[in-house]
Amino acid sequence: MKYLFKHCKAKLRSSKLAVLAVLGIFLLTLTGCTAVQISASILFKEDGSGSRTITASIAKNDHQDGYGSAYYYLSAHGSELETYLKTVYTQNVSGSEGWLSIAVDDSGADWEVINLTFDFSSFEDYKTKLAALAFDEEAAAAYAAPELTANEDGTVTYTENTAVLTAIFKSIQLTLMEDTAVFDINSTKDGTALNDGSADMQSLKDSGVELMKPEFGNSMVVQIGAGEAAPVEAADGVYTVTGSYAGGELPKEEHVMTNVLNYGFNGDLSNKGTAAENDLTYGIGSTDGGPVFVEGIDGQAIQLDGNTYLASPNKSYNYAEMTLSFYYKMSAYTETDTGANMIIVPAGLGALGGGAIDIEFIKDGDVEGIQLLAKMNSADWQTQDKLYSEGYFMEAHLDEWHNYTIVFQNEYDEHGNINDAFVYMYIDGQVAAKARLAVAAGLTYSLGLYDDGAYGEPNGGFNVGGYMEAEMVKRACTGVIDNLMVFDGALTQEEVNSLCYTIAVEQPYDPNAVDTADQGQAAATEAPTAVPTATAAPAAEKEASEGRNPVIAAVLVIVVIGLVAAAGIYFAKKKK
């Protein structure tokens, strides 16, 4: 229940992130309302080119409960501020001086207005330039690329997350607030200090601007092709608009799947995958002494002791399709409040979202044994799609190495739209279970999202082996994990066997066998290494069908020995 509550509360954070476009140069005090209004306009021309303008309007007077305090934190205005911003972008966005136009107008009595404008030649060019404006790495973690999708009726649909504005203006904020020449935390208005001492730099960074309020104008206006420019309202943090577009074929992005995250745990927590700078760290609150490396299935591995977990960098990990794979040897099942032992879990309230993935070993109250569970959140945070390893219980496989691979795969129509979505579970390269996604179909698959710390200290995008909550390590695993990998695409079964299940295990999974929890419990208590394998039963059946059942053979041998012994006794007595 607590874990589900985490998911529900996290939606508040996501909504907040979508609404607040944080621009440090236009900050407010704790005694006033947000003073800066952010808006944007986009034009997609018939030939595929277009232009975009992002506007920040700073209130000067009595529009925001008495005054617009953000204006007075600035030591530069008008042309001086314009020159400063041009320098900032030239230094941080390579080549932007050739395509980004910056204009600051401080002539109005009520507002100072900043416009960032750029032209683009194609939608690909558009996305490249827009993403470049979120130049700060921390800010860019919240950025989500807009999409332009072709529809069957010949129209196109443009979608953009409101967090795009957040990422762009937070980049300016973090840069400017470090420069005392243009930002003054002790600023005054009419001789009165705006900051009474209750606001520090961090609290001001956490505050900022908001999307344009309806009483002041529209936050987003979009024109597609020959259609009219029209305001677009955001729903659930996303702008969506459809229109006719005759600018030629939409660009078809050919995605080349790669192994983005690859943790071999050979004496370190480094990522050897294609997504650089994603090394893991030893989780805060884990057992003292740092990570313990032990013998693994392939070189070394990480020991999880029921109070140990690993944390990724505080970033977003989102994929249109995804494959997650790892080798694991469970030493023991850890009793927890929900019954779950978390292998992969979003790192905290701020790292959760629609489409977030959990991979866990769980003992549900109405199930006889411990199962592997792949779970994906729906967009409404209330329900999830779940896939269990039915008939495969971990009690029967304690102290055994096995490879577990989860594949999230979409089916697309001719226009690239998602028709259907599925999740597959592989054990040792064999399909163990599969299901059609229902409530989570069409969502982006996520290991975790950037956490702004709104619900406690950020602790990465995703965690491995457990997670930290309320200064405690919760729902942690007891076992050994090796070769944790994530692919930014859906692997086929052949690819699972060639890329994930690369080291054969001693007792491979048999999809025709059905485990029982009591067989595993007895084996785990008495002799874990002597657990009968799943392949034993089918082998016996095969031998029986061929007249070579080993049990029958053993009985025949005993009978023959008994007859020989009886004959010997009989003849011995006869000699006497």
Side-chain angles (χ1 to χ4, degrees), residues 472-514:
M472 293 180 58
V473 177
K474 301 193 67 176
R475 299 164 194 163
C477 296
T478 303
V480 184
I481 187 170
D482 200 356
N483 286 8
L484 171 62
M485 297 189 294
V486 175
F487 295 82
D488 59 350
L491 297 185
T492 64
Q493 182 168 8
E494 181 179 356
E495 290 170 330
V496 167
N497 278 278
S498 62
L499 299 175
C500 298
Y501 182 48
T502 55
I503 307 295
V505 299
E506 292 184 1
Q507 303 180 69
Y509 168 73
D510 181 355
N512 297 314
V514 177

Side-chain angles (χ1 to χ4, degrees), residues 154-501:
T155 62
V156 294
T157 298
Y158 176 78
T159 56
E160 177 184 316
N161 196 299
T162 54
V164 167
L165 293 174
T166 304
I168 290 173
F169 282 95
K170 190 174 180 66
S171 292
I172 303 175
Q173 172 199 11
L174 298 177
T175 300
L176 188 140
M177 288 189 69
E178 299 300 324
D179 192 340
T180 57
V182 290
F183 178 81
D184 182 10
I185 194 173
N186 299 312
S187 60
T188 62
K189 180 178 184 290
D190 299 331
T192 302
L194 296 179
N195 183 5
D196 61 5
S198 60
D200 57 15
M201 289 290 285
Q202 187 57 52
S203 64
L204 289 177
K205 286 181 179 179
D206 291 339
S207 304
V209 301
E210 61 185 4
L211 299 179
M212 180 70 76
K213 290 184 176 180
E215 57 264 37
F216 300 136
N218 301 303
S219 63
M220 177 66 76
V221 174
V222 179
Q223 179 180 352
I224 300 179
E228 294 183 0
V232 183
E233 294 185 5
D236 295 327
V238 178
Y239 295 108
T240 304
V241 59
T242 298
S244 298
Y245 183 71
E249 292 186 4
L250 291 176
K252 294 182 180 180
E253 299 182 25
E254 294 295 333
H255 174 67
V256 179
M257 179 175 58
T258 64
N259 182 192
V260 288
L261 304 176
N262 188 339
Y263 305 102
F265 302 127
N266 290 311
D268 58 40
L269 304 179
S270 64
N271 171 39
K272 301 301 193 299
T274 58
E277 300 179 358
N278 284 292
D279 296 349
L280 299 177
T281 59
Y282 195 56
I284 299 171
S286 295
T287 302
D288 292 340
V292 175
F293 297 94
V294 297
E295 182 180 358
I297 188 75
D298 180 20
Q300 290 183 302
I302 285 287
Q303 178 73 59
L304 302 174
D305 62 4
N307 192 59
T308 293
Y309 71 99
L310 308 175
S312 77
N314 189 16
K315 297 181 179 180
S316 296
Y317 295 85
N318 299 326
Y319 310 101
E321 294 184 306
M322 183 177 70
T323 299
L324 189 151
S325 180
F326 59 95
Y327 278 86
Y328 186 64
K329 179 172 67 173
M330 179 180 282
S331 302
Y333 168 69
T334 305
E335 296 286 350
T336 67
D337 55 343
T338 63
N341 289 187
M342 312 301 299
I343 284 289
I344 300 292
V345 56
L349 295 176
L352 295 167
I357 300 297
D358 288 343
I359 306 296
E360 58 197 63
F361 293 103
I362 188 168
K363 187 172 185 179
D364 284 336
D366 57 348
V367 179
E368 63 176 349
I370 304 161
Q371 296 174 292
L372 175 61
L373 166 63
K375 180 170 64 177
M376 182 175 175
N377 286 345
S378 67
D380 64 8
W381 303 82
Q382 304 302 313
T383 54
Q384 301 88 30
D385 283 308
K386 299 179 179 181
L387 179 64
Y388 291 91
S389 60
E390 297 182 5
Y392 181 89
F393 297 129
M394 292 305 295
E395 292 94 331
H397 304 285
L398 293 176
D399 293 314
E400 295 177 7
W401 278 110
H402 289 282
N403 175 261
Y404 303 98
T405 301
I406 311 297
V407 177
F408 295 92
Q409 183 175 32
N410 299 325
E411 286 188 359
Y412 301 91
D413 63 19
E414 59 180 326
H415 302 286
N417 301 312
I418 297 175
N419 269 343
D420 226 333
F422 299 87
V423 54
Y424 298 83
M425 180 183 295
Y426 294 86
I427 303 177
D428 300 334
Q430 299 295 313
V431 177
K434 64 180 179 180
R436 179 173 178 264
L437 293 178
V439 297
L443 296 178
T444 299
Y445 306 107
S446 172
L447 295 180
L449 301 173
Y450 169 75
D451 188 351
D452 67 354
Y455 296 95
E457 183 178 0
N459 198 25
F462 67 90
N463 291 164
V464 178
Y467 65 95
M468 169 69 77
E469 183 180 79
E471 299 184 355
M472 293 180 58
V473 177
K474 301 193 67 176
R475 299 164 194 163
C477 296
T478 303
V480 184
I481 187 170
D482 200 356
N483 286 8
L484 171 62
M485 297 189 294
V486 175
F487 295 82
D488 59 350
L491 297 185
T492 64
Q493 182 168 8
E494 181 179 356
E495 290 170 330
V496 167
N497 278 278
S498 62
L499 299 175
C500 298
Y501 182 48

